[in-house]
Amino acid sequence: MILQLQTSQHTQFLDITQQVQQAITELKLTQGAVLLFVRHTTAALTINENADPDVLQDLETIFQRLVPWQNNYHHNEGNSAAHMKSSLLGASEIIPVKNGALALGTWQGIYLCEFDGPRTRQVLVQPLSATS
Amino acid sequence: MILQLQTSQHTQFLDITQQVQQAITELKLTQGAVLLFVRHTTAALTINENADPDVLQDLETIFQRLVPWQNNYHHNEGNSAAHMKSSLLGASEIIPVKNGALALGTWQGIYLCEFDGPRTRQVLVQPLSATS
Amino acid sequence: MILQLQTSQHTQFLDITQQVQQAITELKLTQGAVLLFVRHTTAALTINENADPDVLQDLETIFQRLVPWQNNYHHNEGNSAAHMKSSLLGASEIIPVKNGALALGTWQGIYLCEFDGPRTRQVLVQPLSATS
């Protein structure tokens, strides 16, 4: 299954926890794990705080300090910072599934991280089977 | 299976390789892979050097330089740096298993990374099955 | 299956996409996912742009700025920067497989990241099974 996701800002942490839970329900995945894989090189996936949006804003600020948008890069599309952030957070997340539900901690949400938007992004949802 | 782990310092790399090996033995996992998943947003998992503890101390130092504890963050709990480090290292590790043993390299150990401790942390251990 | 890979530079992003595709063909993996796991602590795996090599050069430059090779580290082998980069990118990647092919996005390639070469590196290729 592929989730089609529309981001609305240049840099954005988009909460996709509900869409992922809905996907595993539709896929009838009850035990095991789900692999999420973003098919782009200027976006990423991460798991972080789902309660206070200030956390996500702080993450964006820290990223901007670590990897400034302009810094004499060679890539002529000018978005090397987005590529770097993509590699630092990674293209995938794998989350255990128990009794049909994501086995996330209380404060964990799943985020599509947009680093060069707004764009339409694809996240592949692949169930993985557990040993009995 | 859930590992309950107690950290003792504010920032700490806790070697959990033995506990993970013991868990897959108890789970009778012989082939495939094991998914480790930390259910918190101010901790993480990583794989790194298991021999010289100076490596882990250097990792802590580098992290402190990259993401200082105080830096005009907005999140009112004051631990945004811990959230950032958590996303940079990630909530999960997946390790191949061969003949009932973790297929780690000679110098690889598995670490629970505490970034806002001391706390009790939960790491979910989920066996994944290989294709025949 | 283990891929034996020879790097040729101290720091290098080596495109291994074709070797991984060939491995899953040989392993007759048609559906599910493939786990790649590097068995070293001064190398890593990442997925990023496969078209313009300037992107990879920019990633190396950004990494060098973030984690300088020399910076009063304690580890007496002197390669703590390589260990840090290894943890930041991570030892593994998991890629969905559809109809016997890596389900990568158009611009995604798989890279072995060498941070303290040149060396011979091992990447374990472990197929994971999907639920039906």
Side-chain angles (χ1 to χ4, degrees), chain C residues 2-16 19 38 40 43 111-123:
Chain C
I2 293 180
L3 301 180
Q4 303 277 353
L5 301 157
Q6 179 64 45
T7 60
S8 59
Q9 299 167 45
H10 186 255
T11 302
Q12 184 179 5
F13 287 76
L14 184 68
D15 189 339
I16 62 170
Q19 285 104 312
V38 64
H40 309 278
Y111 292 90
L112 170 67
C113 310
E114 173 63 80
F115 294 125
D116 192 20
R119 299 200 198 198
T120 304
R121 299 297 198 173
Q122 292 189 338
V123 174

Coordinates of all heavy atoms in Angstrom, one line a residue, chain C residues 2-16 19 38 40 43 111-123:
Chain C
I2 N 26.5 -12.4 2.1 CA 27.3 -11.3 2.5 C 28.0 -10.7 1.3 O 28.6 -11.4 0.5 CB 28.4 -11.7 3.5 CG1 27.7 -12.2 4.8 CG2 29.4 -10.6 3.8 CD1 28.7 -12.6 5.9
L3 N 27.8 -9.3 1.1 CA 28.5 -8.6 0.1 C 29.8 -8.2 0.6 O 29.9 -7.6 1.7 CB 27.7 -7.4 -0.4 CG 26.3 -7.6 -0.9 CD1 25.7 -6.2 -1.3 CD2 26.3 -8.5 -2.1
Q4 N 30.9 -8.5 -0.1 CA 32.2 -8.0 0.2 C 32.5 -6.8 -0.7 O 32.5 -6.9 -1.9 CB 33.3 -9.1 -0.1 CG 33.1 -10.4 0.6 CD 33.6 -10.4 2.1 OE1 34.2 -9.5 2.5 NE2 33.3 -11.5 2.8
L5 N 32.8 -5.7 0.0 CA 32.9 -4.4 -0.8 C 34.2 -3.8 -0.5 O 34.6 -3.6 0.7 CB 31.8 -3.5 -0.5 CG 30.4 -4.1 -0.8 CD1 29.3 -3.5 0.0 CD2 30.1 -4.0 -2.3
Q6 N 34.9 -3.3 -1.5 CA 36.2 -2.7 -1.3 C 36.1 -1.2 -1.5 O 35.6 -0.7 -2.6 CB 37.2 -3.2 -2.3 CG 38.6 -2.6 -2.2 CD 39.3 -2.9 -0.8 OE1 39.3 -4.0 -0.4 NE2 39.9 -1.8 -0.3
T7 N 36.4 -0.4 -0.5 CA 36.3 1.1 -0.7 C 37.7 1.5 -1.1 O 38.7 0.8 -0.9 CB 35.9 1.8 0.5 OG1 36.7 1.5 1.6 CG2 34.4 1.4 0.9
S8 N 37.8 2.7 -1.7 CA 39.1 3.1 -2.3 C 39.6 4.5 -1.7 O 40.7 4.9 -2.0 CB 39.0 3.3 -3.8 OG 38.0 4.2 -4.2
Q9 N 38.7 5.1 -0.9 CA 39.1 6.4 -0.4 C 38.9 6.4 1.2 O 38.2 5.5 1.7 CB 38.3 7.5 -1.0 CG 38.5 7.6 -2.5 CD 37.5 8.5 -3.2 OE1 37.2 9.6 -2.7 NE2 36.9 8.0 -4.3
H10 N 39.4 7.4 1.8 CA 39.2 7.6 3.2 C 37.7 7.8 3.6 O 37.1 7.2 4.5 CB 40.0 8.7 3.8 CG 39.9 8.8 5.3 ND1 39.2 9.7 6.0 CD2 40.5 7.9 6.3 CE1 39.3 9.5 7.3 NE2 40.1 8.4 7.5
T11 N 37.1 8.7 2.8 CA 35.7 9.0 3.0 C 35.0 8.8 1.6 O 35.5 9.4 0.6 CB 35.4 10.4 3.5 OG1 36.1 10.6 4.7 CG2 33.9 10.7 3.7
Q12 N 34.0 8.0 1.5 CA 33.4 7.6 0.2 C 32.0 7.2 0.4 O 31.6 6.5 1.3 CB 34.3 6.5 -0.4 CG 33.9 6.1 -1.8 CD 34.9 5.0 -2.3 OE1 35.7 4.5 -1.5 NE2 34.7 4.6 -3.5
F13 N 31.2 7.6 -0.6 CA 29.8 7.0 -0.7 C 29.8 6.1 -1.9 O 29.9 6.6 -3.1 CB 28.8 8.1 -0.9 CG 28.5 8.9 0.3 CD1 29.4 9.9 0.8 CD2 27.4 8.7 1.1 CE1 29.2 10.6 2.0 CE2 27.1 9.5 2.3 CZ 28.0 10.4 2.7
L14 N 29.8 4.8 -1.7 CA 29.9 3.8 -2.7 C 28.5 3.3 -3.1 O 27.8 2.7 -2.3 CB 30.8 2.7 -2.2 CG 31.1 1.5 -3.2 CD1 32.0 2.0 -4.3 CD2 31.8 0.4 -2.5
D15 N 28.1 3.5 -4.3 CA 26.8 3.0 -4.8 C 26.7 1.5 -4.9 O 27.5 0.9 -5.7 CB 26.5 3.7 -6.2 CG 25.0 3.5 -6.6 OD1 24.4 2.5 -6.1 OD2 24.6 4.3 -7.4
I16 N 25.9 0.9 -4.1 CA 25.8 -0.6 -4.1 C 24.4 -1.1 -4.6 O 24.1 -2.2 -4.4 CB 26.1 -1.2 -2.7 CG1 25.1 -0.7 -1.7 CG2 27.6 -0.8 -2.3 CD1 25.3 -1.5 -0.3
Q19 N 24.5 -4.2 -6.8 CA 24.8 -5.4 -6.1 C 23.7 -5.9 -5.2 O 23.5 -7.1 -5.1 CB 26.1 -5.2 -5.2 CG 27.4 -5.1 -5.9 CD 27.9 -3.7 -6.0 OE1 27.1 -2.8 -6.4 NE2 29.1 -3.5 -5.7
V38 N 25.5 -3.4 7.8 CA 27.0 -3.3 7.7 C 27.6 -3.7 9.0 O 27.2 -3.2 10.1 CB 27.4 -1.8 7.3 CG1 27.0 -0.8 8.3 CG2 28.8 -1.8 7.0
H40 N 30.3 -3.1 10.7 CA 31.4 -2.2 11.1 C 30.9 -1.0 11.8 O 29.8 -0.6 11.7 CB 32.2 -1.8 9.9 CG 32.6 -3.0 9.0 ND1 33.7 -3.8 9.2 CD2 32.0 -3.5 7.9 CE1 33.7 -4.8 8.3 NE2 32.7 -4.6 7.5
A43 N 31.7 2.7 9.4 CA 31.0 2.7 8.1 C 29.5 2.8 8.4 O 29.1 2.6 9.5 CB 31.4 1.5 7.2
Y111 N 23.8 3.5 -0.7 CA 25.2 3.8 -0.6 C 25.8 3.1 0.7 O 25.3 3.2 1.8 CB 25.4 5.3 -0.5 CG 25.1 5.9 -1.8 CD1 23.8 6.4 -2.1 CD2 26.1 6.0 -2.8 CE1 23.5 7.0 -3.3 CE2 25.8 6.6 -4.1 CZ 24.5 7.0 -4.3 OH 24.2 7.6 -5.5
L112 N 26.9 2.5 0.5 CA 27.8 2.1 1.6 C 28.6 3.4 1.9 O 29.3 3.9 1.0 CB 28.7 1.0 1.2 CG 29.9 0.7 2.2 CD1 29.3 0.2 3.5 CD2 30.9 -0.3 1.6
C113 N 28.6 3.8 3.1 CA 29.3 5.1 3.5 C 30.6 4.7 4.2 O 30.5 4.2 5.3 CB 28.4 5.9 4.4 SG 26.8 6.2 3.7
E114 N 31.7 4.9 3.6 CA 33.0 4.7 4.2 C 33.5 5.9 4.9 O 33.5 7.0 4.3 CB 34.0 4.3 3.1 CG 35.4 4.1 3.5 CD 35.6 3.0 4.6 OE1 35.6 1.8 4.1 OE2 35.7 3.3 5.8
F115 N 33.8 5.8 6.2 CA 34.3 7.0 6.9 C 35.7 6.8 7.5 O 36.2 7.8 8.1 CB 33.3 7.3 8.1 CG 31.9 7.7 7.7 CD1 30.8 7.0 8.1 CD2 31.7 8.7 6.8 CE1 29.5 7.4 7.7 CE2 30.5 9.1 6.4 CZ 29.4 8.4 6.8
D116 N 36.3 5.7 7.2 CA 37.7 5.5 7.7 C 38.4 4.5 6.8 O 38.9 3.4 7.3 CB 37.7 5.1 9.2 CG 39.1 5.2 9.8 OD1 40.0 5.9 9.2 OD2 39.4 4.6 10.8
G117 N 38.4 4.7 5.5 CA 38.9 3.8 4.6 C 40.3 4.2 4.1 O 40.9 5.1 4.6
P118 N 40.7 3.5 3.0 CA 40.1 2.4 2.3 C 40.1 1.1 3.1 O 41.1 0.8 3.8 CB 40.8 2.3 1.0 CG 42.1 2.9 1.3 CD 42.0 3.9 2.3
R119 N 39.0 0.3 3.0 CA 39.0 -1.0 3.7 C 38.1 -1.9 2.9 O 37.3 -1.5 2.1 CB 38.3 -0.8 5.1 CG 39.1 0.1 6.1 CD 38.7 -0.2 7.5 NE 39.0 0.9 8.4 CZ 39.1 0.8 9.7 NH1 38.9 -0.4 10.3 NH2 39.4 1.8 10.5
T120 N 38.1 -3.2 3.3 CA 37.2 -4.1 2.8 C 36.0 -4.2 3.8 O 36.3 -4.3 5.0 CB 37.8 -5.5 2.7 OG1 38.9 -5.4 1.8 CG2 36.8 -6.5 2.1
R121 N 34.8 -4.1 3.3 CA 33.6 -4.0 4.2 C 32.7 -5.1 3.9 O 32.5 -5.5 2.8 CB 32.9 -2.6 4.0 CG 33.8 -1.4 4.3 CD 34.2 -1.4 5.8 NE 34.7 0.0 6.2 CZ 35.0 0.3 7.5 NH1 34.9 -0.6 8.4 NH2 35.4 1.5 7.8
Q122 N 32.0 -5.6 4.9 CA 30.9 -6.6 4.7 C 29.5 -6.0 5.0 O 29.3 -5.4 6.0 CB 31.2 -7.7 5.7 CG 32.4 -8.5 5.5 CD 32.4 -9.8 6.4 OE1 31.8 -9.8 7.4 NE2 33.2 -10.7 6.0
V123 N 28.7 -6.3 4.0 CA 27.3 -5.9 4.2 C 26.4 -7.2 4.1 O 26.4 -7.9 3.1 CB 26.8 -4.9 3.1 CG1 25.3 -4.7 3.2 CG2 27.6 -3.6 3.2

